[in-house]
Structure formats: structure tokens, C-alpha cells
Amino acid sequence: MNEHIIINLIEILGTFAFAISGIRHAAAKHFDWFGGYVCGIAVAIGGGTIRDVMLSTIPFWMTTPIYLICTAVALLTVVLFGKWMEPLKNAWFVFDTLGLALFTIAGIQKSLIFGQPFWVAIIMGCITGSAGGVIRDVLLNNEPVIFHREIYAMACVLGGMAYWGMARMGLSVEVNVVVSFLLICLIRFLAVRYHISLPVLKEMKNEE
């Protein structure tokens, strides 16, 4: 399958997943429908926009209205089915994780297509996956999720390194995508389930 088609499919799926996550957070703050849409679109296109600007290309959502439409569908999904999804407390976390994994992979692939080395592609993947969540949290006046103790952006980095390793072994793009996606999701799920986190920085105090 053409790599551009794979990227477009991943970005559409990631947009829907991230948009639902952002809209749900907005609902928790009692925003109206328009405010929810703004939060949904911010988290859905924020990271990819930063990536595309850094790659000196037209931001992906400006080439087709499908991403704006996809966010509108996500809004309707939350409005119409939110009360049935609410009892599934982990549903919102799952959507956020799916968006994180999908956009990380899209960021890596697009950076490689633009001729960037793998170490840059991994960073771009991390930005694509996590920056939208930062924008969402700033809009909602919450502490950005990447500063939480739970592993978030590091899952993107580890997934990107796995993608690089499989590419070096000559595996197909489809295999790289599937395995990296599953790995990012698994790391995120296990980190939250078992409260796995990176060491906390200790405050440095001057001794008198």
C-alpha cells in the first residue's frame, strides 16, 4: 500500500480518536458544543500542524476538509452516545491512547518521506503525538499530560525506536506500523495500570 495512503488513513483515525478525547475533556469543564469542537480540533490537529510547519510543508488539515468533518463527527458521537460511553470509564483513556499511537506513527512516516533522518523522525513523531494534548490542556487550564508522572511522551519515543529497529531489519511499512502502534498502546496501558513512571526530579537545596 502507498505510504501516503497509509499516512492519510492513520491521520484520519487519529483525528477521530484525539477529537473524542478533547471533546470529552471539554465536556468535563461544561463547555458548550462550539467550545467542545474547538478543544477537539486543537488536540486533533495541534501536533501535526507543528510537525508540518517544522517540515516546511502545508499543514495536513489545510489540504482537505476531511479532518474538520471528522472532528464534527466525533462531536456528534459524544453528544449522541456519550451517556452510554460514560459508564465505561476507561473509554476516554483508550481514545486518547489510540490517538497518541496513531499520530506518533504518522509523524514518523511523514518525516521520513521528507528525507529526515530517523532520530529527527522519532522526535517529530513524539511532537505529533503529544503536542495536541498539551494544547488541549492549556486551553482547559489543566496541567499538561506530558508533565504527569505517568508515561506519555516516552511511549512515543519507545514506539519510534521500535519502528526504526524494524525498518533497519527491512520489514515492511505495514508491519512497522502495526507493531509500533501496538507497542505504544501496550506501554501506555501498562504504565497506567501498574503506575509505572520515570523517576521524579528532586529539589536541589543549598546547604548552609
Side-chain angles (χ1 to χ4, degrees):
M1 186 181 295
N2 185 283
E3 286 192 34
H4 290 282
I5 296 177
I6 294 176
I7 291 176
N8 289 336
L9 289 175
I10 290 174
E11 286 182 333
I12 290 172
L13 292 173
T15 297
F16 182 77
F18 254 165
I20 284 186
S21 171
I23 292 165
R24 177 62 187 91
H25 279 78
K29 292 279 188 175
H30 306 292
F31 282 22
D32 62 16
W33 287 19
F34 181 75
Y37 183 84
V38 170
C39 285
I41 199 68
V43 69
I45 70 172
T49 299
I50 295 173
R51 172 203 64 205
D52 289 344
V53 169
M54 295 178 71
L55 292 176
S56 298
T57 187
I58 299 174
F60 69 104
W61 59 271
M62 296 177 66
T63 61
T64 171
I66 187 63
Y67 302 103
L68 302 181
I69 295 171
C70 188
T71 302
V73 172
L75 176 63
L76 289 175
T77 300
V78 173
V79 170
L80 297 176
F81 304 109
K83 64 180 180 180
W84 286 284
M85 299 172 69
E86 186 61 32
L88 304 175
K89 296 186 182 297
N90 293 328
W92 311 115
F93 165 71
V94 170
F95 279 116
D96 187 66
T97 300
L98 293 178
L100 179 72
L102 289 166
F103 270 126
T104 297
I105 295 168
I108 292 172
Q109 289 187 303
K110 191 163 188 176
S111 300
L112 293 175
I113 288 176
F114 274 75
Q116 298 297 327
F118 243 110
W119 65 272
V120 173
I122 292 173
I123 294 173
M124 288 294 189
C126 185
I127 291 173
T128 309
S130 61
V134 174
I135 296 172
R136 173 201 65 204
D137 292 336
V138 170
L139 290 174
L140 296 174
N141 198 30
N142 294 331
E143 180 184 20
V145 67
I146 64 170
F147 297 144
H148 292 182
R149 290 187 61 185
E150 64 186 49
I151 292 177
Y152 190 78
M154 275 304 300
C156 304
V157 174
L158 295 174
M161 293 177 67
Y163 191 108
W164 171 75
M166 289 183 291
R168 288 290 297 267
M169 292 189 296
L171 299 180
S172 67
V173 173
E174 291 81 4
V175 172
N176 295 347
V177 167
V178 172
V179 174
S180 298
F181 170 80
L182 294 175
L183 179 61
I184 294 171
C185 291
L186 181 63
I187 291 172
R188 184 90 172 103
F189 291 148
L190 291 177
V192 172
R193 173 64 178 82
Y194 295 104
H195 306 288
I196 302 171
S197 62
L198 297 176
V200 176
L201 286 172
K202 297 185 182 296
E203 182 182 1
M204 299 179 66
K205 298 182 179 180
N206 294 325
E207 295 185 3
E208 297 292 337

